[in-house]
Amino acid sequence: MTSQLANAIRFLSADSVQQANSGHPGAPMGMADMAEVLWNQFLRHNPANPNFVNRDRFVLSNGHASMLIYSLLHLTGYNLSIEDLKNFRQWHSKTPGHPEYGYTDGVETTTGPLGQGIANAVGMALAEYLLAKEFNRDGFPIVDHYTYVFLGDGCLMEGISHEVASLAGTLGLGKLICLYDDNNISIDGKIDNWFSENVPERFESYGWHVVGGVDGHDQAAIKAAIEAAQQVTDKPSMICCKTLIGKGAATKEGSHKTHGAPLGAEELEATRKHLGWNYGPFEVPQEIYDAWNAKAKGAKMENEWNELFAQYQAKFPAEAAEFIRRMDKKLPENFEQHVQTALKEVCDKHEKIATRKASQNSIEALAQVLPEFVGGSADLTPSNLTDWSKSVSVKPHSGGNYIHYGVREFGMSAIMNGLALHGGVKPFGATFLMFSEYARNALRMAALMKINPIFVYTHDSIGLGEDGPTHQPVEQTASLRLIPNMAVWRPCDTAESLVAWAEAVKAADHPSCLIFSRQNLPFISRSAQQLADIQRGGYVIRAAEEGAAQAVIIATGSEVELALNAQTVLAEQGVFVNVVSMPSTNVFDKQDAQYQASVLPQGLPRIAVEAGVSDGWYKYVGLNGAVIGLDRFGESAPAELLFKEFGFTVDHVVEVVKNVLSA
């Protein structure tokens, strides 16, 4: 006999999908019993304050089951009305087709691309763990919550689930509890022919605590499994719940036909009779609302925490103030002043170093005032240079602020999203630029959610040299720039590197990609105004020394030096050009028209120089300008030879500029 509380989820979900004529009723119906137990008996949350800092986090990794979480939020008392449910999948509704962070109170992360929800959850659990290690004191567990995940077969088929589950097991994240909706069904039907692995043994091999063979419709069994999971504090837990997709449907229960299509009016009516649900569409009796409502319980729980925190604040005022600042996502008051002081020091040094080293120096400088930094690398720390003097490696069952992600670029990036979503930490993580490809969908999700992790990419061009085309990024920088709401920075020296880092740290509503060189690049002297203009994404780094400029050379990163050298040769030949450094096209594009025109005056021919694909630069140079780029893959050879062979030479830039002017 199914619970009527669970049936409320089933019918709200099925009715919403039916009204929208689109959606996935099967998974919410199948997971309804799991959800009732977790949300009514275990989940610590406050519907009146969805952002309560010590709430348990709930992640619906199989995001196509979105009506499950919408039903739960509505029933427990969040700001999600029955009218919002009726608007499921409609324009600008609070109930989009997949849960979206920022649209709906109580939705902790955007899910839908399978596997990323559990990856975000690993990040949330890791943030909880690191903050607890840093801030908790004896008798004052101010950071003490669980991260719960619902996930399905599809999540476990995605490779990212292997990456993050392996790391979570290694680190021993004991407050991460996953409930696996094992219904043996996907869109294509029964999954026996393409997913036959032993899931419990798989997770045991990762070092997880596993509760297998749980009847996902037996609430007592589900409760016992969650209680058992909570008792295991040194391992994450996987609870394998055997369920029927579309549980309760009169004739379609257990069928893939319930996965991604409305049940149909006839089936819905039969299901109401089958489950004894004597109410119309979107009708829930008051006694069921009352049984679900979590406002009173949530308020009591939050008040108890507030009392604990007040005592903590009295005894540890400095720690409390720091905790509040970080959870409020505020930068230290002296941050901007600190950046300017560091920038002056950088300029005074005039260092010729690789920008990856300049990046490390920037991290070192900023970490002095940003204890919230949690850095990391996908097994390339000595190459990416993302550690700093006071970084402490996170190890199993010990805290720190530097995560060795292993060779898990996608997992790293999605975990960083989870760290950022949790709050209290400011994550960055690194790999070679080439391997941003593995991580691409997590970057997109960060941009979509308007969160601010910092993705660090080194070895940014054919300057990588002998490793060859497999490791030489050509199209990556350009394609990263195409992601909406992403700031991409490719600095040319130590000053631009520090500014790029500072801007990425300040970013509140978007992620950043910071792209750095392997090879040494010279420091370029600038005026105070030029230094200030770096943060505008593009600026004239050196104006024509004599006469009016006849053309503009635009360059980024390592090619700025090349452009400046070409400018000198051209001047010797009586051709005068401005050189524009454009470390971030995305940021430059947001500047006002007047500023843009001051950097790129109308009527002046433009030539862009960047060791990557050329297409994106034509919006700046037009069809009458020219792009010196690389529209092919690289080769294995020393960097100096590659730049020469591919036309990144002073002579070639000079030639192209002259050709444009004579056309």
Side-chain angles (χ1 to χ4, degrees):
M1 182 72 181
T2 58
S3 154
Q4 289 292 66
L5 296 188
N7 285 341
I9 297 173
R10 291 186 170 99
F11 285 103
L12 286 175
S13 298
D15 288 339
S16 297
V17 171
Q18 188 68 30
Q19 175 135 323
N21 196 31
S22 174
H24 300 77
M29 295 176 75
M31 294 189 290
D33 299 300
M34 298 156 55
E36 183 194 338
V37 173
L38 177 64
W39 278 63
N40 279 333
Q41 299 187 51
F42 294 96
L43 194 73
R44 291 167 58 82
H45 64 117
N46 184 5
N49 182 13
N51 297 317
F52 167 53
V53 297
N54 199 45
R55 69 191 181 279
D56 290 339
R57 272 59 171 180
F58 174 76
V59 174
L60 183 67
S61 190
N62 43 349
H64 56 272
S66 57
M67 272 312 307
L68 175 81
I69 192 168
Y70 298 150
S71 299
L72 288 163
L73 294 171
H74 170 71
L75 290 166
T76 55
Y78 284 77
N79 181 27
L80 197 69
S81 69
I82 200 72
E83 292 303 314
D84 291 322
L85 269 58
K86 290 178 180 178
N87 280 322
F88 179 53
R89 292 186 163 225
Q90 305 309 303
W91 176 253
H92 280 176
S93 74
K94 290 183 181 179
T95 50
H98 292 82
E100 292 190 37
Y101 175 74
Y103 268 62
T104 318
D105 288 348
V107 170
E108 300 282 1
T109 181
T110 300
T111 55
L114 294 176
Q116 286 196 71
I118 183 176
N120 297 161
V122 170
M124 294 174 188
L126 183 53
E128 189 274 345
Y129 173 74
L130 296 177
L131 290 168
K133 288 285 188 182
E134 184 178 357
F135 286 101
N136 289 357
R137 299 292 184 270
D138 287 346
F140 295 97
I142 63 165
V143 183
D144 182 17
H145 67 78
Y146 287 95
T147 301
Y148 295 101
V149 185
F150 278 13
L151 52 87
D153 298 303
C155 290
L156 297 185
M157 290 185 222
E158 290 285 0
I160 190 174
S161 70
H162 296 260
E163 294 183 26
V164 301
S166 171
L167 185 59
T170 299
L171 294 177
L173 299 178
K175 288 186 176 175
L176 174 65
I177 299 176
C178 299
L179 286 85
Y180 166 36
D181 178 35
D182 180 13
N183 61 29
N184 205 50
I185 294 290
S186 72
I187 293 176
D188 282 1
K190 290 187 177 182
I191 62 176
D192 300 326
N193 291 330
W194 55 88
F195 188 64
S196 61
E197 67 196 46
N198 189 318
V199 171
E201 288 186 2
R202 168 183 159 187
F203 278 84
E204 285 172 357
S205 77
Y206 294 146
W208 286 52
H209 165 69
V210 178
V211 185
V214 176
D215 181 347
H217 305 300
D218 181 340
Q219 296 199 358
I222 298 165
K223 180 184 178 185
I226 297 173
E227 288 174 338
Q230 290 185 337
Q231 293 303 308
V232 179
T233 59
D234 62 344
K235 297 179 179 179
S237 291
M238 177 63 71
I239 301 169
C240 301
C241 298
K242 196 67 185 174
T243 61
L244 287 167
I245 192 170
K247 173 67 177 176
T251 68
K252 295 181 180 180
E253 180 182 272
S255 168
H256 72 278
K257 293 179 181 178
T258 68
H259 175 88
L263 294 182
E266 187 175 326
E267 179 76 5
L268 253 175
E269 186 59 33
T271 301
R272 281 183 160 81
K273 292 177 181 176
H274 178 61
L275 294 179
W277 185 259
N278 301 315
Y279 313 102
F282 299 100
E283 185 182 350
V284 178
Q286 190 59 47
E287 62 265 25
I288 289 180
Y289 273 126
D290 292 343
W292 269 108
N293 194 298
K295 285 185 175 179
K297 186 165 62 174
K300 180 175 182 292
M301 179 266 301
E302 184 171 348
N303 286 335
E304 289 171 352
W305 185 87
N306 286 336
E307 289 173 10
L308 177 71
F309 189 77
Q311 296 171 31
Y312 178 89
Q313 199 167 23
K315 196 166 183 178
F316 308 102
E319 290 85 349
E322 178 66 11
F323 182 75
I324 291 169
R325 177 187 74 79
R326 286 163 58 171
M327 295 308 297
D328 286 346
K329 300 179 180 178
K330 293 180 178 176
L331 290 172
E333 289 183 6
N334 65 336
F335 180 77
E336 195 60 48
Q337 181 183 347
H338 183 80
V339 170
Q340 292 306 312
T341 300
L343 185 58
K344 184 179 183 306
E345 291 174 359
V346 162
C347 293
D348 289 344
K349 287 181 180 177
H350 282 71
E351 287 181 296
K352 181 177 182 178
I353 54 177
T355 51
R356 63 171 173 164
K357 180 61 182 176
S359 167
Q360 185 177 43
N361 293 345
S362 300
I363 296 168
E364 185 73 42
L366 297 177
Q368 296 175 22
V369 293
L370 294 174
E372 57 263 51
F373 260 173
V374 174
S377 172
D379 203 49
L380 287 168
T381 299
S383 293
N384 296 147
L385 303 181
T386 37
D387 56 351
W388 64 102
S389 61
K390 293 186 178 179
S391 61
V392 177
S393 295
V394 177
K395 297 176 181 177
H397 314 297
S398 70
N401 56 10
Y402 192 85
I403 303 163
H404 297 274
Y405 287 99
V407 188
R408 301 183 178 103
E409 296 88 357
F410 190 7
M412 172 183 73
S413 304
I415 288 171
M416 286 164 56
N417 288 348
L419 289 164
L421 286 161
H422 182 280
V425 296
K426 188 170 284 293
F428 63 88
T431 184
F432 287 177
L433 176 57
M434 186 65 245
F435 304 127
S436 64
E437 293 295 331
Y438 285 134
R440 183 60 60 113
N441 201 257
L443 273 62
R444 184 177 189 272
M445 294 296 284
L448 180 64
M449 288 190 279
K450 300 177 181 175
I451 57 177
N452 57 354
I454 301 170
F455 303 102
V456 180
Y457 298 118
T458 67
H459 298 63
D460 68 342
S461 72
I462 54 173
L464 184 59
E466 291 87 346
D467 278 344
T470 61
H471 285 54
Q472 292 167 3
V474 172
E475 73 276 26
Q476 281 63 43
T477 299
S479 61
L480 291 172
R481 290 172 179 145
L482 294 175
I483 301 174
N485 200 43
M486 177 69 77
V488 180
W489 293 85
R490 188 174 183 240
C492 73
D493 69 353
T494 53
E496 286 191 357
S497 296
L498 178 58
V499 172
W501 261 105
E503 291 301 301
V505 166
K506 289 189 289 186
D509 61 356
H510 65 266
S512 301
C513 293
L514 308 183
I515 297 174
F516 300 111
S517 72
R518 178 195 189 192
Q519 70 273 28
N520 291 339
L521 303 178
F523 175 81
I524 300 164
S525 295
R526 299 168 179 82
S527 68
Q529 187 59 57
Q530 287 173 316
L531 283 172
D533 287 341
I534 295 173
Q535 65 183 358
R536 305 189 75 164
Y539 61 104
V540 179
I541 194 167
R542 188 185 294 167
E545 294 183 3
E546 298 180 36
Q550 298 163 260
V552 177
I553 304 176
I554 310 166
T556 76
S558 52
E559 287 70 71
V560 172
E561 178 188 12
L562 174 62
L564 291 171
N565 290 339
Q567 180 192 43
T568 300
V569 173
L570 284 163
E572 291 169 354
Q573 299 177 14
V575 179
F576 303 107
V577 300
N578 289 345
V579 174
V580 168
S581 177
M582 197 175 288
S584 178
T585 62
N586 313 89
V587 174
F588 180 76
D589 288 349
K590 292 179 179 177
Q591 304 305 308
D592 61 82
Q594 184 178 358
Y595 179 77
Q596 290 180 349
S598 73
V599 176
L600 301 175
Q602 292 293 322
L604 282 188
R606 303 165 189 173
I607 299 89
V609 188
E610 186 174 61
V613 293
S614 62
D615 279 9
W617 287 105
Y618 285 98
K619 71 175 179 178
Y620 302 107
V621 305
L623 296 180
N624 295 320
V627 181
I628 300 170
L630 189 64
D631 293 311
R632 53 153 292 175
F633 298 118
E635 296 279 353
S636 177
E640 296 79 6
L641 178 63
L642 291 173
F643 281 118
K644 179 183 177 182
E645 291 295 329
F646 290 129
F648 294 94
T649 65
V650 170
D651 288 346
H652 187 226
V653 175
V654 167
E655 180 187 0
V656 171
V657 171
K658 287 181 170 180
N659 287 341
V660 168
L661 288 171
S662 64

